Amino acid sequence: MKTGKIEQFKKLSQFKSLKEFNNHVEQHLLDLKSKLTKSERIAIKVIIRHAAKVYGVANASIKKFVIASQKYDGVGVSRSTFKRAIKKAISHGLFVVYETERDNGSQSTNVYVFNRIEIVSFSSSNEPRPENEKVEQSPVEQQKEVEQLNLLKTDKQTKTNKIIDIRKDNAIKDIPLDYQDWLKTYGYTGKQIVEFYKCLKYTTKYLTFYNEQDKVQLGIRAFKQMVINKKLGYKVRNMFGYYTQVLNNFLDMDYLELVREG
């Protein structure tokens, strides 16, 4: 990707307005609250401020971020803290990072593209919706509503107090529920989810220091990247092969980061 003015990266934005972007980011930060130190939170907020002109897209050097962070308390955040904060943000799906290059092929500033979060309604209680306006539900909310209706129906038919966990009953054996839920929100079938998970298992089979949660986070992170790349117009002939490629790219990036830190 070629470097340039921030406006040229407008197509990467996932948001229609600054308000929508801020709402999604606020929810992301709530989820990340326990994962970030005070300095890392400042670092993330600095990057967020640089993503206001083109909603959810920032393009600046870490050096510029460090200088901007000094406005908070006069001391600022170090370069290494920014790197740690960025790494955590990527692993938790806050944003993805694209490298850019100059015309001569040398590396330039990174582009930070913030992701939407899987929630639907952000309307404030002070902003009532019109009476006839239909509130769109996300796939996750729709599934929960179906499950609740099925539970009520089953309870009425059997006249028992037995609780049925439909989420687990409908789950695919030996695949983490969090991973299944993520892919189901995009409409993938059980068979496709099994194939995606096989790709994840294959790429991490020798990584004995990865626990199940680490693998799930990596798998979801790579899946988000694949979705974004498809939106950007990348041709994906074999989605499972492409998914494996994205997984390997992330593992290579993590390895290089560990080498640099070491």
Side-chain angles (χ1 to χ4, degrees), residues 1-216:
M1 187 183 294
K2 292 292 184 183
T3 188
K5 293 183 178 180
I6 186 66
E7 288 79 9
Q8 81 175 49
F9 302 112
K10 216 167 189 177
K11 62 181 181 180
L12 300 176
S13 174
Q14 300 180 36
F15 306 96
K16 295 179 181 178
S17 68
L18 183 60
K19 182 180 178 182
E20 183 186 30
F21 167 56
N22 287 334
N23 285 332
H24 279 262
V25 165
E26 283 175 13
Q27 185 61 42
H28 266 301
L29 291 179
L30 282 174
D31 295 341
L32 275 168
K33 189 174 181 181
S34 62
K35 310 288 191 307
L36 300 172
T37 65
K38 182 180 178 181
S39 296
E40 288 167 351
R41 283 197 295 273
I42 292 174
I44 295 298
K45 287 179 180 179
V46 168
I47 300 174
I48 290 170
R49 289 190 175 188
H50 281 77
K53 189 171 184 180
V54 173
Y55 313 133
V57 181
N59 177 29
S61 65
I62 290 183
K63 182 180 179 181
K64 188 174 181 180
F65 289 150
V66 170
I67 294 171
S69 71
Q70 294 172 358
K71 295 179 181 180
Y72 277 87
D73 55 10
V75 178
V77 177
S78 68
R79 185 183 183 87
S80 59
T81 300
F82 265 99
K83 285 188 173 182
R84 286 197 306 272
I86 290 169
K87 191 173 181 180
K88 287 182 181 180
I90 292 172
S91 67
H92 286 86
L94 177 59
F95 50 64
V96 292
V97 180
Y98 295 93
E99 292 184 352
T100 67
E101 60 178 28
R102 302 179 181 88
D103 290 334
N104 62 7
S106 61
Q107 189 175 341
S108 186
T109 55
N110 289 336
V111 178
Y112 301 80
V113 180
F114 285 81
N115 290 318
R116 298 174 65 85
I117 199 165
E118 291 303 310
I119 56 177
V120 175
S121 178
F122 297 108
S123 61
S124 167
S125 57
N126 297 324
E127 298 176 2
R129 293 179 178 271
E131 248 181 62
N132 298 327
E133 183 180 345
K134 186 178 179 181
V135 180
E136 184 183 354
Q137 289 183 310
S138 70
V140 174
E141 289 176 328
Q142 290 172 2
Q143 180 63 28
K144 285 181 179 178
E145 187 174 318
V146 170
E147 290 172 3
Q148 288 172 353
L149 289 172
N150 286 341
L151 280 172
L152 289 172
K153 185 179 178 181
T154 303
D155 187 59
K156 186 176 180 181
Q157 287 174 343
T158 59
K159 296 182 179 181
T160 66
N161 294 323
K162 185 179 179 181
I163 298 174
I164 301 173
D165 192 339
I166 293 178
R167 181 168 179 256
K168 288 184 179 179
D169 288 346
N170 291 338
I172 304 166
K173 188 180 178 183
D174 299 327
I175 297 181
L177 289 173
D178 290 344
Y179 186 82
Q180 294 184 46
D181 288 344
W182 250 102
L183 272 67
K184 283 177 181 176
T185 60
Y186 286 88
Y188 286 104
T189 64
K191 187 176 180 180
Q192 289 171 323
I193 292 170
V194 169
E195 291 302 316
F196 276 120
Y197 192 67
K198 282 181 182 178
C199 298
L200 177 60
K201 283 185 70 177
Y202 175 78
T203 53
T204 58
K205 64 180 178 179
Y206 296 117
L207 303 178
T208 55
F209 55 91
Y210 267 50
N211 59 32
E212 184 180 278
Q213 189 59 36
D214 292 332
K215 291 178 182 179
V216 168

